Amino acid sequence: MTLQEELVSLLHKEIKDAADSELYEACLEIVRQRSEQIPTVQGTKKVYYISAEFLTGKQLGKNLINLGLFDEMDRILKDNGKSLESVEAIEKEPSLGNGGLGRLAACFLDSIATLNLPGDGIGLRYHYGLFKQQFIDHKQHEIPDEWLDGSNMVRKTDITFPVQLAGKTYHSRMYDMDVIGYKGNKNTLHLFDLDTIDESIVHDGIQFDKTNIEKNLTLFLYPDDSDRDGQLLRIYQQYFMVSSAAQLIIHKEKEAGHDLHRLDQYVAVQINDTHPSMVIPELIRLLMMEGIPMKRAADIVNNVCAYTNHTILAEALEKWPLDYLGEVVPHLLPIIEGLDYAAYCAFSGNPDLMIIDEQNRVHMAKMDMHYSRSINGVAALHTEILKNQELKPFYNIYPQRFNNKTNGITFRRFLMHSNPQLTNLIDMLIGEGWKTDASHLEELLRYYNDENVLEQLENIKYQNKVRLANFIKEKENIDLDPNSVFDVHVKRMHEYKRQQMNALWVIYKYMQIKNGALPPRPITVIFGGKAAPAYKMAKNVIHLILCLQELINNDPEANKYLKVVMIQNYNVDKAEKVIPACDISEQISLASKEASGTGNMKFMLNGAVTLGTADGANVEIRNLVGNDNIYVFGRSSDEVIGLYNTSSYHSSDFYYRSNSIHNCVDFITSEQLCAIGDPAMLNELRDNLINKDWFMTLLDLESYCAAKETALMDYENRAWWKRKMLVNIAKSGFFSSDRTIKEYNNDIWHLR
Ligand code: 26V
C-alpha cells in the first residue's frame, strides 16, 4: 500500500473530504504502526535518563521526519487541498516540562535513539503539566493545561509497581511513549502515574487539596511548595518517580538473568538535577532486599549513577527537612542516615561534605556527589564555576568525577521541522550529511561571499517573519511589520535572565522616540515565558511588559518605530514558530547565573545573531563565531562573583549616579503606566530595582543599551549582517545534541 492508500483506508473516506482532526488521527495511527515495525535499540548496557521534566513538544511532525515520511505526507495532503501544518495544529503539546532542563531531556532522548544507543527516559505523567498561562488585565493567570484531552503517542501499559508512601501502598502504572530515532531504531519514554488521580479536585485556576495524595499526586509538575504540604507533595512525587524507576530497572535486570553485583556493567542512571536524587537510596534499598549488604550495595549504586547539575541558584538546590522525608519515606531514612554517617567517617565530619546539615536538612546534591561516578556541568564556564566555587569542597575530594558536557539541541526539531526553507537551502548547498553529522554545516562558509546565497538567507528570514507576524495577528491581534528588526527574548521568567533589563531598554527607546530620536528602522521586541505561580517579582516583570505593550502599541507617535509583544503561553510549539523569525537573540543573563542556555543555540542555528553576556554557552558561541558575529556586553562572571562575595553591589548607586537609568526606572511608576496597570505591582518592581536588584540589572544596563544600539546600527549594513547570519549557522554544528550524547556515552555511560 502506498502512504496515500494507507491514509485513505484509515479514514474510510477521501482525503479531501476529511477534517483536520480526522487526518490527525489517521496520521497518528500511521506513525504508531510504523513505529511498531521498527526494532527497539538492543545492547547489553542501557542508560536510564531520569528526569522530573520531559518537554517533548508535539510528536507528530517530529516522528514523521524521523520515520522519513514527512515530505511525502506533506505532498499528499497538499495535493488534496489540505495542509500538514493544520493537521499538526490539532495535536496538544505534552506539557511535561518547565524550561531548558526538560527540553534538554527531550533532545537527549532523540539523540540517544538516533545514535542507536540503548536508553530510556523515566518521568511522570502529569495530567495538567506545569500550567497554561493566560493574560488577563495585563497579568499572568494560571489554568490547567489539558494536554491529555485528545489522542497522543502516550499509551497505557499493564505494568504496575507497588510504591510505599507514608506507610501506605500505592500502585504506579507505567505509560509508554516511543522515542523514534532519525532514520534509526526506537527507545521508550516511561511515564508513571496513579490510576486514582481525580482531576475534578482542581478549582479556581490551579488550586487543589495538597494533602490528598491518592487524588493529587501527578496532577501538576512543580506544585507550589511555599508551604509544608506543598513540600511534602514534591517529595511524594519524587519518590514515586524514582521508586518506580528503580523497580523497573531491577525487575528488567533480574528478568535478563544479570548478576546484580555487576549492575554497573548493564545499567547507567543519569540523574537530571536533584529531583531524582532519591533513586540512590532507593536502589540501595532494593539491592539490600536482594540480600546484598548495605556497604556493597552503596558501592554498586555509586558505579551506576551519574549526576548532572543544571544551576547554581541556591533556591533550586534542593534540601529537604529530614522529618519530612521521615514522614513520606520512613523506609529510606536509615539508608540516607547511613550514607551521611559514611561521609562523616570518611571526611572527619567536615560540615561542607555532610549530606545532612546541622539543621537536619538533607542536601540532595551532596548525596548525588558522594554516590555518583560522574558529576557534570552543562557548559564550560558553568563546570569551571562548579569546580572552583559552588562545589569546590567536592571537587577537592573527587576531582576525577568532575567533567563538562556542553548542552546541545536536536537539529531535527529546531531546524528540519521548524525551518523547512532553510533546511532545503542547506541541503541544496552542502547536501544532507549535516543531518547526521552536524559539523558538516561548516561547509556553508564556502558561501561567505556568494551574494546569491546570502540573498536567499535573507529572503528565508523575511518569509519566516511574515509567517510569525500572521500567527501573532491571529493569536494576539497585533500587527507586526516584517521589515522591522525582530528582537526576541523568550525563556522562563526569572530575575537572573533579566527580562526586566530588556523592558528598561524598551522604556529607554520609547523615551528617545518621544524626544524625536528615531531609529533607522522600526523595532519589534518579542517576549515570551512563564513565571512560577508563587514568584511575585517575575509576575511583576510580566505585568510591566504587558503594560508597555499596551502603551506603546497604541501610541501613534511611537508605534511606527517600536512595538512590543508578549506571547501568551510560550511553549515548544511557539518556540518553533518564533525562533526561525528572529534577527537578534537576547541572552542577557547575569554572568555566572545561566548554566548554559539552549535557546541561544536554537537561535544561532536559525541565523539569528546573539546579543548576550559572557555567560553559559554564550561564551562557547563567541569562541566559535568570533567577536564580529556576536554582541557581548556586561560584567564578566568573575567580576559578578567578586561583587557577591564582597557584598559590594548597591543598585541605588547606579540609580542615583546616572540620569538615564534614573529616568528609565522611574518610568515604571509613571502616570501613564499606572493608568494602565496595577500601581502596587509596578511600585514593588521599581522599589526592588532601586533597593535590592539581587541580579544586578542596573549594573549592566548602560553597556546593554550601548551594545544593542551597535547591533541595531550594524543591522542596517545588510551585506555585513547576512554574513553574520551565515557564520552563525555554519558554526552551530558543535551544539548538536548528537555531539553532546556521544560525549556522555564516551566519558560516562559506555553503552554497548
Ligand atoms: C526551576 C524551577 C522554577 C519553578 C519552580 C520550581 C523549579 C524547579 C526547577 C527549576 C529548574 C532549574 C534548573 C534548570 O532548568 N536549569 C536550566 O537547565 C538548562 C539545561 O541544562 C540550562 O541550559 C539552563 O541554563 C538552566 O537554567
Side-chain angles (χ1 to χ4, degrees):
M1 246 199 299
T2 63
L3 191 58
Q4 170 138 358
E5 286 162 356
E6 236 179 292
L7 202 53
V8 172
S9 96
L10 284 164
L11 286 166
H12 304 295
K13 59 169 88 161
E14 292 299 311
I15 296 172
K16 64 175 176 33
D17 300 328
D20 284 341
S21 55
E22 295 170 311
L23 288 165
Y24 169 68
E25 299 290 339
C27 287
L28 190 66
E29 188 49 34
I30 287 175
V31 168
R32 285 192 189 117
Q33 289 174 6
R34 296 292 167 115
S35 183
E36 231 169 78
Q37 284 156 23
I38 59 176
T40 299
V41 180
Q42 296 297 326
T44 47
K45 186 172 183 188
K46 181 169 186 163
V47 63
Y48 292 90
Y49 197 90
I50 310 182
S51 176
E53 304 184 28
F54 286 93
L55 201 45
T56 61
K58 294 188 182 192
Q59 292 298 295
L60 179 61
K62 169 240 173 200
N63 280 334
L64 287 172
I65 286 180
N66 284 7
L67 289 166
L69 298 176
F70 189 92
D71 291 338
E72 195 182 343
M73 189 66 86
D74 193 35
R75 191 187 42 75
I76 294 170
L77 292 176
K78 261 197 204 106
D79 288 350
N80 288 278
K82 300 286 169 183
S83 102
L84 183 49
E85 201 179 334
S86 328
V87 173
E88 287 181 67
I90 303 289
E91 181 177 355
K92 294 215 158 74
E93 172 172 333
S95 171
L96 302 175
N98 176 36
L101 168 131
R103 183 54 232 178
L104 185 77
C107 285
F108 280 5
L109 292 187
D110 179 86
S111 286
I112 292 171
T114 297
L115 294 170
N116 217 14
L117 296 169
D120 287 353
I122 300 184
L124 294 178
R125 180 176 174 268
Y126 311 100
H127 292 226
Y128 287 149
L130 185 67
F131 61 81
K132 189 165 179 178
Q133 180 191 55
Q134 279 188 339
F135 296 148
I136 303 171
D137 293 337
H138 316 297
K139 289 174 197 152
Q140 169 177 298
H141 287 254
E142 302 93 20
I143 58 170
D145 190 341
E146 296 171 339
W147 73 277
L148 280 173
D149 287 2
S151 308
N152 58 52
M153 283 293 289
V154 183
R155 62 177 183 275
K156 192 173 180 175
T157 75
D158 51 16
I159 296 171
T160 63
F161 295 104
V163 178
Q164 293 286 318
L165 297 169
K168 260 184 77 181
T169 304
Y170 295 77
H171 293 276
S172 71
R173 177 176 299 282
M174 191 161 88
Y175 287 76
D176 280 353
M177 183 163 114
D178 289 351
V179 180
I180 303 168
Y182 178 62
K183 295 190 174 165
N185 295 340
K186 67 171 187 249
N187 285 315
T188 310
L189 170 57
H190 305 287
L191 299 171
F192 287 94
D193 197 0
L194 273 180
D195 289 347
T196 52
I197 299 303
D198 182 356
E199 293 168 359
S200 74
I201 67 171
V202 179
H203 59 91
D204 298 331
I206 56 169
Q207 303 303 311
F208 63 91
D209 173 4
K210 283 192 246 171
T211 62
N212 195 340
I213 298 308
E214 194 173 307
K215 294 185 172 183
N216 72 17
L217 184 66
T218 51
L219 280 174
F220 288 98
L221 165 66
Y222 302 135
D224 171 28
D225 69 346
S226 55
D227 60 11
R228 183 188 137 87
D229 288 338
Q231 291 197 21
L232 287 172
L233 176 52
R234 293 260 186 119
I235 299 173
Y236 277 110
Q237 287 189 329
Q238 295 184 356
Y239 180 68
F240 180 77
M241 173 172 75
V242 302
S243 177
S244 305
Q247 291 185 67
L248 175 69
I249 293 168
I250 298 291
H251 171 80
K252 292 226 169 194
E253 290 310 299
K254 283 171 71 175
E255 206 177 55
H258 292 156
D259 175 5
L260 294 178
H261 291 88
R262 302 175 65 229
L263 193 63
D264 63 334
Q265 302 295 305
Y266 306 109
V267 171
V269 168
Q270 195 67 38
I271 300 176
N272 199 28
D273 230 69
T274 55
H275 318 116
S277 302
M278 275 186 280
V279 74
I280 290 172
E282 179 66 358
L283 273 173
I284 294 174
R285 188 180 74 85
L286 294 181
L287 290 177
M288 288 166 71
M289 302 216 327
E290 298 292 329
I292 300 176
M294 169 144 173
K295 170 80 179 73
R296 185 80 196 278
D299 287 342
I300 296 169
V301 171
N302 201 157
N303 277 324
V304 166
C305 291
Y307 161 64
T308 306
N309 175 286
H310 293 268
T311 180
I312 63 162
L313 294 186
E315 69 193 51
L317 288 177
E318 294 176 303
K319 302 177 252 314
W320 298 124
L322 193 63
D323 54 327
Y324 288 14
L325 291 176
E327 194 170 324
V328 180
V329 283
H331 49 290
L332 280 193
L333 229 49
I335 295 172
I336 295 173
E337 283 169 339
L339 300 181
D340 180 60
Y341 184 68
Y344 180 88
C345 297
F347 304 105
S348 328
N350 178 350
D352 286 344
L353 300 171
M354 293 302 94
I355 296 173
I356 303 173
D357 69 12
E358 286 99 344
Q359 297 158 59
N360 265 327
R361 292 176 311 181
V362 180
H363 289 238
M364 307 314 266
K366 294 186 180 183
M367 185 165 69
D368 291 325
M369 290 187 283
H370 280 304
Y371 289 93
S372 294
R373 48 195 299 277
S374 159
I375 301 163
N376 79 280
V378 290
L381 175 70
H382 171 60
T383 301
E384 287 310 304
I385 293 173
L386 294 181
K387 293 199 301 199
N388 303 322
Q389 316 274 340
E390 298 302 312
L391 308 180
K392 191 168 188 209
F394 281 84
Y395 181 59
N396 288 340
I397 58 168
Y398 303 127
Q400 74 293 346
R401 290 187 186 180
F402 279 73
N403 63 94
N404 175 246
K405 294 286 166 281
T406 297
N407 282 166
I409 57 173
T410 170
F411 291 18
R412 268 85 59 183
R413 181 179 289 276
F414 291 105
L415 188 59
M416 290 166 65
H417 186 254
S418 65
N419 200 342
Q421 285 179 304
L422 182 55
T423 302
N424 286 340
L425 176 63
I426 297 172
D427 285 353
M428 222 175 62
L429 297 174
I430 63 168
E432 294 194 59
W434 62 274
K435 290 175 181 169
T436 43
D437 179 356
S439 66
H440 283 294
L441 287 177
E442 282 219 36
E443 292 165 25
L444 289 171
L445 291 176
R446 289 207 296 266
Y447 301 95
Y448 190 76
N449 289 314
D450 188 321
E451 265 317 311
N452 180 335
V453 167
L454 295 173
E455 205 181 300
Q456 289 187 64
L457 266 188
E458 188 180 39
N459 246 322
I460 291 170
K461 182 64 78 182
Y462 178 78
Q463 286 168 39
N464 287 331
K465 287 162 78 170
V466 170
R467 207 168 302 135
L468 179 63
N470 291 337
F471 178 78
I472 287 179
K473 176 70 186 168
E474 185 191 317
K475 296 281 168 191
E476 317 279 340
N477 196 24
I478 296 176
D479 290 296
L480 297 188
D481 173 4
N483 282 307
S484 64
V485 188
F486 279 20
D487 174 69
V488 182
H489 201 164
V490 288
K491 47 184 80 253
R492 273 188 299 128
M493 298 300 295
H494 200 292
E495 285 166 281
Y496 86 77
K497 295 177 184 284
R498 297 197 292 191
Q499 285 95 349
Q500 69 278 15
M501 189 158 79
N502 197 350
L504 286 170
W505 177 85
V506 168
I507 292 173
Y508 161 83
K509 191 47 59 180
Y510 178 66
M511 296 199 301
Q512 271 192 345
I513 293 169
K514 294 301 268 184
N515 288 325
L518 305 177
R521 175 194 301 264
I523 306 157
T524 302
V525 188
I526 299 171
F527 290 94
K530 294 178 186 177
Y535 189 175
K536 257 178 117 181
M537 213 46 73
K539 289 181 141 177
N540 289 344
V541 174
I542 292 180
H543 186 55
L544 171 63
I545 293 168
L546 291 172
C547 290
L548 287 168
Q549 173 179 315
E550 171 87 25
L551 173 74
I552 295 171
N553 296 1
N554 292 309
D555 179 336
E557 229 173 51
N559 66 17
K560 292 199 282 289
Y561 306 101
L562 183 62
K563 283 228 166 128
V564 180
V565 188
M566 176 126 192
I567 296 172
Q568 248 171 120
N569 199 44
Y570 178 67
N571 58 11
V572 180
D573 184 45
K574 294 190 178 165
E576 287 190 53
K577 297 187 161 70
V578 175
I579 291 169
C582 169
D583 294 309
I584 297 179
S585 156
E586 296 273 352
Q587 310 298 336
I588 62 176
S589 54
L590 176 62
S592 79
K593 296 295 180 191
E594 188 70 273
S596 161
T598 45
N600 46 4
M601 303 168 186
K602 295 164 196 165
F603 283 105
M604 170 193 192
L605 173 62
N606 282 274
V609 179
T610 305
L611 169 59
T613 48
D615 200 13
N618 296 353
V619 175
E620 286 157 84
I621 295 179
R622 175 172 59 179
N623 291 343
L624 284 162
V625 302
N627 278 320
D628 278 351
N629 300 297
I630 186 169
Y631 297 89
V632 177
F633 68 92
R635 299 297 207 278
S636 72
S637 61
D638 284 342
E639 287 171 300
V640 169
I641 290 167
L643 288 171
Y644 278 115
N645 287 342
T646 53
S647 307
S648 43
Y649 172 68
H650 305 289
S651 56
S652 55
D653 295 350
F654 289 82
Y655 173 76
Y656 289 111
R657 215 183 292 142
S658 152
N659 257 333
S660 93
I661 291 184
H662 198 118
N663 291 339
C664 291
V665 173
D666 282 356
F667 192 82
I668 296 173
T669 52
S670 61
E671 255 176 54
Q672 300 155 76
L673 281 186
C674 285
I676 295 169
D678 175 343
M681 286 172 80
L682 296 170
N683 263 300
E684 190 177 41
L685 179 58
R686 173 176 169 276
D687 229 58
N688 182 288
L689 281 170
I690 299 171
N691 298 313
K692 197 158 170 237
D693 193 21
W694 183 247
F695 294 100
M696 308 183 183
T697 313
L698 303 190
L699 176 74
D700 285 339
L701 182 58
E702 281 180 324
S703 62
Y704 172 56
C705 290
K708 198 154 169 171
E709 213 53 41
T710 309
L712 290 168
M713 288 306 146
D714 288 357
Y715 187 88
E716 296 311 311
N717 185 342
R718 297 306 299 152
W720 201 29
W721 191 270
K722 287 183 265 187
R723 291 192 171 86
K724 292 180 200 289
M725 293 171 61
L726 182 83
V727 172
N728 272 276
I729 300 166
K731 291 288 186 178
S732 61
F734 175 73
F735 298 111
S736 161
S737 47
D738 296 347
R739 187 269 311 153
T740 314
I741 287 302
K742 281 182 195 155
E743 290 182 9
Y744 272 90
N745 190 38
N746 290 337
D747 301 344
I748 307 172
W749 303 333
H750 311 297
L751 306 179
R752 286 160 302 166

